[in-house]
Amino acid sequence: MGRKNTPMKYPPELLEELKTLADRFELVIRGDERDKIISKMRGELFAAQTSQPLRESDVQPKDVVTVRLSKTQQKMVRFLRAGYIAVPTLAGNLGVTKNTVYNLLWQLEKAGYQIDRRNTGNHRGGYAKIYRLAKAA
């Protein structure tokens, strides 16, 4: 008698580690894609100025005091730390609505995080604003 086809049960902590690793891969892949698009659209000079992670200009709250963030807020901080990103992209990556992303941005600012906003100049169906954690110029 053979073993019946029963689904294998994986330990929750292992699944969480796999999810975290997948999120990290997503950030690296998205960053590489962003760099290619910026280079193609605006030239190498612009890409060097905006696509590379820069040293944060001011200490963020985690450096000063302990701020308790939800897992969704923590993931959002990781995305914002990687560079400029649009609200719909954040919503898709976090599995939440755009309104929730705006609420999370407000919560992070209230917790002391400094968030940069940049107008894209695109008002014809594209993203009007993109966001990231405040960085040095």
Side-chain angles (χ1 to χ4, degrees), residues 29-89:
I29 291 167
R30 219 173 22 85
D32 184 51
E33 290 172 356
R34 182 181 59 240
D35 291 348
K36 288 177 185 176
I37 291 169
I38 288 172
S39 293
K40 184 177 181 182
M41 299 296 289
R42 300 211 174 127
E44 293 297 324
L45 178 62
F46 181 79
Q49 293 173 352
T50 60
S51 65
Q52 299 302 317
L54 303 171
R55 184 185 62 78
E56 293 171 7
S57 55
D58 293 321
V59 289
Q60 295 293 347
K62 71 173 187 64
D63 301 322
V64 180
V65 294
T66 302
V67 176
R68 293 198 183 258
L69 300 176
S70 69
K71 287 192 180 229
T72 304
Q73 289 170 324
Q74 291 171 13
K75 285 171 87 175
M76 187 160 164
V77 167
R78 284 196 302 269
F79 283 116
L80 292 171
R81 192 177 299 276
Y84 281 107
I85 188 167
V87 168
T89 306

Side-chain angles (χ1 to χ4, degrees), residues 74-122:
Q74 291 171 13
K75 285 171 87 175
M76 187 160 164
V77 167
R78 284 196 302 269
F79 283 116
L80 292 171
R81 192 177 299 276
Y84 281 107
I85 188 167
V87 168
T89 306
L90 278 167
N93 286 325
L94 297 172
V96 298
T97 65
K98 290 190 293 184
N99 285 338
T100 302
V101 171
Y102 287 116
N103 191 21
L104 289 168
L105 285 168
W106 175 80
Q107 290 171 4
L108 290 175
E109 285 184 316
K110 188 175 177 184
Y113 284 87
Q114 296 176 357
I115 298 174
D116 281 344
R117 291 163 175 75
R118 177 180 282 180
N119 289 326
T120 61
N122 185 354

